[in-house]
Amino acid sequence: MAKPAQGASYRGSIHDFPNFDPNQDAEMLYNAMKGFGSDKEAILELITSRSNRQRQEISQSYKSLYGKDLIADLKYELTGKFERLIVGLMRPLAYCDAKEIKDAISGIGTDEKCLIEILASRTNQQIHQLVEAYKDAYERDLEADIIGDTSGHFQKMLVVLLQGTREKDDVVSEDLVQQDVQDLYEAGELKWGTDEAQFIYILGNRSKQHLRLVFDEYLKTTGKPIEASIRWELSGDFQKLMLAVVKCIRSTPEYFAERLFKAMKGLGTRDNTLIRIMVSRSELDMLDIREIFRTKYEKSLYSMIKNDTSGEYKKALLKLCGGDDDAAGQFFPEAAQVAYQMWELSAVSRVELKGTVHPAGDFNPDVDAKALRKAMKGIGTNEDTIIDIITHRSNAQRQQIRQTFKSHFGRDLMADLKSELSGDLARLILGLMMPPAHYDAKQLKKAMEGAGTDEKTLIEILATRTNAEIRAINEAYKEDYHKSLEDALSSDTSGHFRRILISLATGNREEGGEGRDQAREDAQVAAEILEIADKPSGDKTSLETRFMTILCTRSYPHLRKVFQEFIKMTNYDVEHTIKKEMAGDVRDAFVAIVQSVKNKPLFFADKLYKSMKGAGTDEKTLTRIMVSRSEIDLLNIRREFIEKYDTSLHQAIESDTSGDFLKALLAICGGED
């Protein structure tokens, strides 16, 4: 694999070692492995400080001086993950890829994730070098081996990628972009079944620049990102491969940043993935991966490796990483530009929001009311009937059922449900039966009742509702509790946090578009705030007040522009700045507003994930979001959930809940992605 020039645009973390002497290095390695035991520290220090080209020269010198194979000696002296990492570094990059693929298709079963990662991310030149290296190392044809170990559309796409014939980024034809968008749309969304061949041909052959324009136009034309269509139309390993291709087209470093994060998050570490990426990207784009990792996951790659690995293995990985982006407490300009592009995308995207619960066709409130009465009459309760009716009617239809139930039977449906159901299922069903504004008002009331305040619930509701929704909540709160929401917030919170909540609770956010001059002015205010915060004598009160004015009163489109201008001026992302400079409930409220402005469905997807991860389930948060978003944007939340966490919301609910509560949640979820 050709080594990139180490000039001004070089983005690797490993560089040529100055005053390099391969004979001297070979001797040092020989001495480190001579006698009883080996000097692992010396081995890792030397090998991680040399470029791959220099390591090949060391191998040659080692054989010339001692008549021995350096890789064979390293395998003998080292063990486990550390050995795999060091030996991987010693191979030419194309041969390293060849070894990974050989391991992936050898023996029982296939490591499809490894095949996907390598073949979806490599350039034409890297693919050609890989094919040659495989032939040289194993005297076998890579394409034939792939065909022998895979099948179906997954196999066909792998074979296309193996040709290494993706078109070059040169002149892009606007007509061809439009044609490809139409062909993809007709092959998937508009077709009964899916024409996989069109997806394979276009995604496997078109240039990266061309495909980025196709993806942009696809979003504008269909109202959904290409990833959503791939998830809907394709399945299994083929779906995963096509999603990986799309991610690499959009940003190869971001694809690897995500792979690294997933390799280390949760219990256990996927060491093979971690080693493969750290070795293969160390001389290509490790700096870009680090920057995107820092921006996307709010921690440095260095710190995550440090916390997730140990011993010489950890030391070697950290050397390959090349530095800790948390050390200075700042972000690279390139990372800020990634954040800028994210804001840019959110500013131009006009994705249609869709719920999962819709009005039932042929709706008959009389029939439903009688069926519910029958389900609760006598000994025992028919929970299945209750779940089926209530989760498959819109909120407006449920209100008609309530009225009909009272007219027919002289009974309060809510009271009957409350007496017949219990626990999590009761909370969920009763929540669905309430008008949305009254449900939100009740959640706010509960958050302020008793000892202590549930600040997270207050923030979640008030930071994410529209002006119309906020005004309806105020009316419902006054009607149900004979007290204004503002008075309740005033008596239960304090300081800047109270001022933020009351400002949000007025429901007076501007609703116009962006004003470029005003956006620059607001961004300048934010930039000045950053300077104040960096001084020990900074006026914290002024800091929070000025942020509040901007974040609580400007329109969403305007704030997106403000956040872009802020990045231009400071090379900081506003969300990270808030997290760094502020603390407590004020910080949490501001972060929630920013995240909601950027991508509200993703904000709720994160909340749902956190409600179910780890030991125990936060059923109240899970219920609150599923109820409140079911007719607004739960379908969008589902798409964001699977995009970020590589598992569907349906699967997460299925593995974390049980019984009738599970049945009702899955009905509201509306499907498996």
Side-chain angles (χ1 to χ4, degrees):
M1 200 172 288
K3 178 176 175 296
Q6 295 190 349
S9 61
Y10 179 70
R11 301 297 293 159
S13 56
I14 299 295
H15 301 264
D16 284 334
F17 189 75
N19 304 316
F20 171 62
D21 184 339
N23 288 335
Q24 183 179 327
D25 285 352
E27 184 179 352
M28 288 178 65
L29 287 172
Y30 180 77
N31 290 332
M33 293 185 283
K34 189 170 64 175
F36 183 74
S38 56
D39 186 348
K40 297 181 180 65
E41 189 80 33
I43 293 170
L44 82 85
E45 185 64 35
L46 190 148
I47 290 177
T48 59
S49 300
R50 306 299 186 267
S51 67
N52 192 273
R53 176 186 62 80
Q54 291 175 331
R55 292 182 208 121
Q56 304 320 308
E57 292 187 46
I58 295 169
S59 284
Q60 190 58 51
S61 294
Y62 193 90
K63 184 166 283 189
S64 299
L65 289 171
Y66 305 109
K68 302 177 74 173
D69 182 72
L70 177 54
I71 287 181
D73 280 3
L74 287 167
K75 281 184 175 181
Y76 180 79
E77 292 291 336
L78 308 177
T79 59
K81 296 173 285 192
F82 181 55
E83 177 240 311
R84 186 179 177 90
L85 175 60
I86 294 298
V87 169
L89 288 168
M90 289 306 305
R91 291 193 176 99
L93 297 181
Y95 285 80
C96 193
D97 278 351
K99 177 68 165 61
E100 289 293 317
I101 286 186
K102 186 71 168 64
D103 290 346
I105 57 178
S106 294
I108 300 171
T110 304
D111 183 354
E112 290 86 2
K113 289 182 179 178
C114 175
L115 296 180
I116 290 169
E117 179 194 300
I118 292 175
L119 296 181
S121 65
R122 300 317 192 238
T123 64
N124 286 349
Q125 183 184 12
Q126 290 166 346
I127 290 287
H128 296 153
Q129 291 167 343
L130 161 61
V131 171
E132 291 171 12
Y134 193 91
K135 184 80 170 176
D136 180 53
Y138 306 110
E139 297 182 351
R140 297 178 65 87
D141 181 69
L142 178 54
E143 183 178 324
D145 282 358
I146 292 284
I147 289 172
D149 211 65
T150 58
S151 61
H153 297 297
F154 178 58
Q155 176 198 87
K156 291 173 186 173
M157 185 61 177
L158 290 175
V159 170
V160 167
L161 294 173
L162 267 177
Q163 306 315 301
T165 54
R166 186 174 296 285
E167 296 163 1
K168 294 179 180 177
D169 284 331
D170 43 27
V171 178
V172 176
S173 163
E174 289 186 16
D175 290 341
L176 187 56
V177 167
Q178 293 296 338
Q179 185 61 53
D180 282 349
V181 169
Q182 191 60 33
D183 288 347
L184 287 171
Y185 193 37
E186 290 176 358
E189 299 283 339
L190 297 183
K191 188 178 178 66
W192 179 258
T194 305
D195 183 359
E196 290 87 354
Q198 279 286 22
F199 280 86
I200 290 171
Y201 176 73
I202 293 172
L203 294 180
N205 289 283
R206 298 289 193 240
S207 73
K208 285 192 169 188
Q209 184 59 34
H210 175 90
L211 284 173
R212 288 182 193 120
L213 293 174
V214 168
F215 299 159
D216 290 344
E217 286 301 315
Y218 191 90
L219 177 62
K220 291 176 186 174
T221 301
T222 68
K224 64 174 67 173
I226 187 69
E227 292 90 339
S229 292
I230 289 172
R231 286 199 180 89
W232 185 257
E233 299 295 334
L234 311 180
S235 62
D237 292 324
F238 180 46
Q239 179 201 77
K240 292 172 186 173
L241 174 58
M242 298 304 261
L243 288 172
V245 169
V246 170
K247 286 176 182 176
C248 288
I249 295 297
R250 291 193 187 277
S251 170
T252 302
E254 184 170 359
Y255 170 72
F256 282 114
E258 184 179 311
R259 291 278 295 159
L260 285 168
F261 179 75
K262 288 175 179 175
M264 291 182 282
K265 76 169 185 175
L267 293 174
T269 304
R270 298 172 192 168
D271 293 291
N272 287 352
T273 301
L274 179 56
I275 291 168
R276 184 171 57 245
I277 296 173
M278 295 302 290
V279 169
S280 65
R281 311 313 293 187
S282 60
E283 295 185 45
L284 295 174
D285 51 8
M286 185 58 71
L287 296 186
D288 295 322
I289 292 169
R290 272 171 46 185
E291 289 157 2
I292 292 170
F293 194 100
R294 182 65 183 84
T295 298
K296 194 167 184 178
Y297 302 112
E298 300 163 26
K299 65 179 77 175
S300 68
L301 175 59
Y302 187 99
S303 67
M304 197 161 185
I305 291 171
K306 191 174 180 180
N307 292 331
D308 213 63
T309 58
S310 60
E312 284 87 6
Y313 175 54
K314 174 173 77 174
K315 291 176 184 175
L317 286 171
L318 293 178
K319 289 275 288 182
L320 294 180
C321 183
D324 186 358
D325 305 318
D326 283 340
Q330 295 188 6
F331 309 99
F332 289 162
E334 290 88 347
Q337 292 313 308
V338 171
Y340 179 92
Q341 288 160 16
M342 286 196 255
W343 289 117
E344 183 71 38
L345 182 62
S346 72
V348 300
S349 297
R350 293 291 180 266
V351 178
E352 183 183 358
L353 298 179
K354 293 182 179 178
T356 54
V357 174
H358 309 281
D362 301 322
F363 171 61
N364 188 326
D366 188 63
V367 171
D368 285 347
K370 288 176 180 176
L372 287 170
R373 175 65 180 144
K374 184 179 178 182
M376 294 184 284
K377 196 174 179 181
I379 299 171
T381 305
N382 186 342
E383 286 88 354
D384 285 345
T385 297
I386 295 171
I387 291 169
D388 185 58
I389 292 173
I390 292 178
T391 61
H392 291 95
R393 305 295 183 269
S394 68
N395 193 275
Q397 290 175 333
R398 293 183 206 122
Q399 303 317 309
Q400 291 183 56
I401 295 170
R402 281 181 71 176
Q403 187 58 53
T404 303
F405 194 90
K406 182 166 278 188
S407 298
H408 273 323
F409 308 111
R411 302 172 67 91
D412 180 32
L413 176 56
M414 293 287 282
D416 281 5
L417 288 168
K418 196 171 184 178
S419 69
E420 293 292 331
L421 305 176
S422 62
D424 296 324
L425 178 65
R427 273 192 292 271
L428 180 63
I429 295 298
L430 290 169
L432 289 168
M433 288 303 304
M434 295 179 73
H438 289 266
Y439 180 73
D440 277 348
K442 184 175 183 180
Q443 299 308 303
L444 291 170
K445 180 75 163 61
K446 283 188 168 184
M448 294 183 280
E449 278 179 346
T453 303
D454 181 357
E455 292 86 1
K456 289 182 179 179
T457 298
L458 298 179
I459 291 168
E460 177 199 305
I461 294 173
L462 295 175
T464 61
R465 301 312 192 247
T466 65
N467 283 347
E469 289 167 342
I470 290 287
R471 287 193 281 269
I473 291 169
N474 274 287
E475 290 174 12
Y477 199 95
K478 185 79 171 175
E479 178 185 337
D480 294 344
Y481 307 111
H482 311 294
K483 183 179 184 179
S484 74
L485 176 57
E486 182 178 332
D487 287 345
L489 291 168
S490 294
S491 62
D492 208 68
T493 58
S494 61
H496 284 292
F497 182 55
R498 175 171 62 194
R499 293 174 61 197
I500 294 165
L501 294 181
I502 289 174
S503 178
L504 292 171
T506 60
N508 285 324
R509 185 178 292 281
E510 297 165 2
E511 295 187 339
E514 65 185 59
R516 187 170 294 274
D517 291 340
Q518 183 64 57
R520 286 199 190 99
E521 188 177 321
D522 287 346
Q524 184 61 43
V525 169
E528 289 172 9
I529 287 168
L530 176 61
E531 291 173 6
I532 293 169
D534 280 342
K535 297 175 183 176
S537 60
D539 181 355
K540 206 72 173 177
T541 301
S542 174
L543 171 76
E544 291 165 352
T545 300
R546 295 163 80 185
F547 250 124
M548 186 184 77
T549 302
I550 295 168
L551 293 181
C552 295
T553 65
R554 304 289 193 250
S555 71
Y556 273 28
H558 179 83
L559 281 174
R560 291 188 184 105
K561 198 67 190 170
V562 171
F563 299 155
Q564 283 183 293
E565 294 296 329
F566 182 85
I567 290 170
K568 278 186 184 177
M569 292 177 185
T570 67
N571 267 333
Y572 283 77
D573 177 70
V574 69
E575 182 181 336
H576 294 152
T577 305
I578 292 168
K579 287 177 177 176
K580 178 188 172 189
E581 301 297 341
M582 296 184 176
D585 297 328
V586 169
R587 176 199 60 204
D588 293 345
F590 285 157
V591 167
I593 294 169
V594 172
Q595 291 175 341
S596 181
V597 169
K598 181 180 179 184
N599 186 334
K600 196 178 290 185
L602 178 58
F603 170 80
F604 284 114
D606 285 339
K607 295 274 288 181
L608 284 170
Y609 178 78
K610 289 171 184 173
S611 76
M612 292 182 280
K613 77 168 186 176
T617 304
D618 180 357
E619 289 88 357
K620 290 181 180 177
T621 297
L622 177 57
T623 298
R624 185 172 61 248
I625 295 174
M626 295 296 287
V627 168
S628 64
R629 310 313 295 182
S630 59
E631 294 184 50
I632 299 173
D633 55 4
L634 189 53
L635 185 61
N636 306 82
I637 292 168
R638 272 171 40 186
R639 289 170 178 165
E640 295 292 347
F641 194 99
I642 195 170
E643 172 71 23
K644 183 163 183 179
Y645 298 110
D646 264 358
T647 188
S648 67
L649 178 58
H650 186 283
Q651 289 170 335
I653 291 169
E654 207 167 31
S655 63
D656 215 63
T657 60
S658 61
D660 293 324
F661 183 49
L662 165 64
K663 290 179 190 174
L665 286 171
L666 291 182
I668 298 168
C669 184
E672 168 64 282
D673 298 307

